[in-house]
Amino acid sequence: VLKPGGLLLAVDYTGYGMSFFEKIKLGIRYLKQLGIPPRHVRSSISPDGFSALVKSAGFTVDDIQLIGEKTKALYLKCRKH
């Protein structure tokens, strides 16, 4: 959908880097609000995994960061080839 050089900014929650206890708390909150997640949901994608995913879709990664104290998210900035 983006033109070549187009900028994509994404933030996605992840269990990567979280303690077991924090993952359980996050899972309970998710279930209460949204129900059972679809099978294709990747709950613990790493920064390297997220980067590889967007690279395989034709993007160049400018920046990727794991953010958050207890609950984690991945921040990604990339451009379309």
Side-chain angles (χ1 to χ4, degrees):
V1 174
L2 291 175
K3 294 188 238 178
L7 178 66
L8 171 68
L9 299 174
V11 177
D12 192 16
Y13 288 103
T14 183
Y16 181 84
M18 291 174 62
S19 72
F20 177 76
F21 182 68
E22 293 300 328
K23 286 180 186 180
I24 295 296
K25 288 184 353 185
L26 180 61
I28 291 169
R29 285 194 313 258
Y30 186 98
L31 287 171
K32 283 182 178 179
Q33 292 184 2
L34 302 170
I36 297 173
R39 290 183 187 195
H40 68 276
V41 171
R42 298 178 185 195
S43 62
S44 293
I45 192 165
S46 68
D48 289 340
F50 200 24
S51 182
L53 180 68
V54 297
K55 285 179 181 178
S56 71
F59 289 85
T60 301
V61 176
D62 293 336
D63 188 18
I64 188 164
Q65 299 175 31
L66 184 64
I67 56 177
E69 292 291 320
K70 293 182 181 180
T71 302
K72 302 292 185 178
L74 287 168
Y75 160 79
L76 174 78
K77 178 182 175 186
C78 58
R79 296 192 182 275
K80 184 72 175 167
H81 286 204

